[in-house]
Amino acid sequence: MIPTIKWDNHFISLIDQRKLPGKKEWLVCRTLQDVITAIKEMAIRGAPAIGVAASMGLALGSQTITTENYKIFRRNFFEMARQMKSARPTAVNLRWAVEKMIRVVEMMKHSAVKEIKGALRKESQVILERDIEINQKIGQNGLRLIPDNATILTHCNAGALATGGYGTALGVIRAAHEAGKDIHVIVDETRPLLQGVRLTAFELIEEHIPVMVIVDSAAGYLMRKKRIDLVIIGADRIASNGDTANKIGSYQLAVLAKENAIPFYIAAPVSTFDPDLKNGELIPIEERDPGEVTSFDGNLLGPKGVDALNPAFDITPAKYISAIITEREILKPPYKGSISDLFGTDMK
Ligand code: MRU
């Protein structure tokens, strides 16, 4: 399995996902700003991976704060946290990870700054390692929803590359394969940045899991022809009623799945829930550069000067979601109840 991100002595190395599958190239981030840029420009992407990168980026940034005074350190660190939070708006894992790092600083107010810096680096490593364990649990929990011989449609990339490792939606697929189930995966290209054909197909081929790529618009036809048994995708943010933000195109797959009586599953860690949000309409949707739509790899796809809309995510209303697979349990509708039960015990 290809690693996503790691500490490399004093710096952070991440696989530059813009270059995959053509080149496996490590991008070295030497400053907080390098990490923020890598997230914005999607050298690293996927909600849990963004969270891991944010925590490491803040640990890296904290090393550059040159004071022994806690109050000054805290003020500088908060400014870094503010900048990090604004890198990408939709995936709530980013905010979750930043808040975890802030808690370390708050809890260590009586410690020496040097010790706080050490604790921040340790915390970021824990977030990374814990993310991999969480995904393996999601995989184990989701196994029972995957029948033998199933053809599974997935969208975008919710794999090892989108997380600390193993993957969420792809983690369930991986676990089913490891359990000896004979499964076949169909992945759509996922325009405009092609995370499906570039990254998901790449991961599945590396794991020897049978995969075929389709264009985004072929999904409805294949569902109607009964060539897809279930859909499983990841999530960037899940509101308290189960409405789910994920890569643009997820909503239309969910509607098509319902129309064709095909189960539609979300696989996501508890850190992807935003229990304070009443519904999906309140989830901020990132609008990206229209140039991502009108050109690819520097080549213009349409007439010169053509404009484009480029929402990067959409919201799938809860009524289209058959179940949400988390590391703790499989949530079933009505989600208002199952999500508040999930957070009734322990939110963090
Ligand atoms: O824009 P991206 O590539 O960061 O979008 C990624 C997705 O939408 C994933 O499906 C989601 O983050 C879940 S990743 C486990």
Side-chain angles (χ1 to χ4, degrees):
M1 203 178 355
I2 193 162
T4 316
I5 183 166
K6 61 179 184 188
W7 279 107
D8 228 345
N9 289 321
H10 298 300
F11 301 130
I12 299 164
S13 285
L14 50 93
I15 283 284
D16 191 338
Q17 300 190 29
R18 296 166 299 186
K19 309 245 168 91
L20 288 173
K23 282 189 202 153
K24 283 188 205 171
E25 222 173 84
W26 289 100
L27 177 74
V28 181
C29 295
R30 294 183 166 79
T31 63
L32 170 83
Q33 207 48 53
D34 286 350
V35 179
I36 293 177
T37 305
I39 294 173
K40 281 188 176 156
E41 295 182 356
M42 293 174 65
I44 187 159
R45 31 67 50 202
I50 292 172
V52 171
S55 68
M56 288 184 166
L58 285 177
L60 183 68
S62 75
Q63 301 295 333
T64 62
I65 305 173
T66 53
T67 178
E68 300 295 315
N69 179 301
Y70 175 79
K71 271 195 182 155
I72 300 174
F73 175 80
R74 183 180 178 278
R75 195 183 326 124
N76 281 280
F77 186 82
F78 269 58
E79 173 52 24
M80 288 179 174
R82 191 195 58 75
Q83 288 174 29
M84 181 59 84
K85 266 191 193 168
S86 66
R88 285 191 81 189
T90 304
V92 76
N93 307 61
L94 174 65
R95 188 186 78 196
W96 172 87
V98 170
E99 281 169 4
K100 254 181 150 357
M101 300 300 274
I102 286 177
R103 262 199 305 278
V104 171
V105 173
E106 298 283 36
M107 276 170 51
M108 293 184 74
K109 57 172 170 273
H110 299 302
S111 306
V113 165
K114 193 168 167 235
E115 277 174 39
I116 304 176
K117 290 177 180 175
L120 286 168
R121 175 155 171 166
K122 245 189 219 151
E123 179 72 3
S124 72
Q125 185 63 25
V126 169
I127 290 176
L128 168 65
E129 286 164 16
R130 180 99 182 89
D131 187 59
I132 301 171
E133 288 165 23
I134 285 170
N135 293 333
Q136 286 164 341
K137 283 195 185 137
I138 291 174
Q140 287 309 310
N141 287 345
L143 256 187
R144 77 180 111 118
L145 298 176
I146 313 290
D148 199 18
N149 272 313
T151 298
I152 306 165
L153 174 68
T154 190
H155 181 57
C156 192
N157 172 265
L161 289 164
T163 59
Y166 203 76
T168 56
L170 232 50
V172 176
I173 290 171
R174 218 184 281 279
H177 177 74
E178 284 165 4
K181 295 192 185 191
D182 187 14
I183 50 163
H184 303 261
V185 180
I186 292 182
V187 59
D188 59 22
E189 290 175 303
T190 319
R191 278 277 294 146
L193 297 179
L194 303 179
Q195 290 93 327
V197 60
R198 290 191 307 107
L199 308 177
T200 297
F202 170 74
E203 283 195 39
L204 291 172
I205 281 182
E206 279 215 324
E207 297 286 317
H208 305 288
I209 300 175
V211 57
M212 277 197 290
V213 176
I214 59 171
V215 294
D216 294 335
S217 41
Y221 169 77
L222 292 170
M223 287 189 197
R224 204 170 153 75
K225 285 282 176 194
K226 306 211 176 310
R227 291 176 64 180
I228 289 166
D229 299 307
L230 63 106
V231 182
I232 181 162
I233 63 167
D236 283 81
R237 196 185 295 223
I238 304 172
S240 65
N241 68 344
D243 290 355
T244 294
N246 191 54
K247 179 52 54 195
I248 192 75
S250 300
Y251 168 53
Q252 62 202 36
L253 290 179
V255 175
L256 284 166
K258 188 157 188 112
E259 169 69 17
N260 289 283
I262 294 168
F264 184 90
Y265 300 124
I266 301 288
V270 173
S271 56
T272 299
F273 286 77
D274 191 344
D276 297 335
L277 286 192
K278 210 165 154 228
N279 59 53
E281 292 315 307
L282 300 167
I283 299 177
I285 297 293
E286 179 181 12
E287 294 265 349
R288 292 186 62 86
D289 182 353
E292 290 180 351
V293 175
T294 53
S295 46
F296 192 76
D297 240 359
N299 298 312
L300 200 59
L301 300 172
K304 201 163 180 262
V306 69
D307 207 354
L309 289 170
N310 190 14
F313 301 94
D314 60 24
I315 308 293
T316 299
K319 67 176 179 181
Y320 294 109
I321 300 169
S322 314
I324 304 176
I325 308 158
T326 75
E327 67 271 33
R328 299 213 195 138
E329 57 189 296
I330 296 180
L331 306 181
K332 289 276 175 62
Y335 293 110
K336 255 190 200 151
S338 51
I339 293 173
S340 74
D341 286 352
L342 187 71
F343 286 98
T345 42
D346 163 29
M347 275 183 51
K348 313 294 174 195

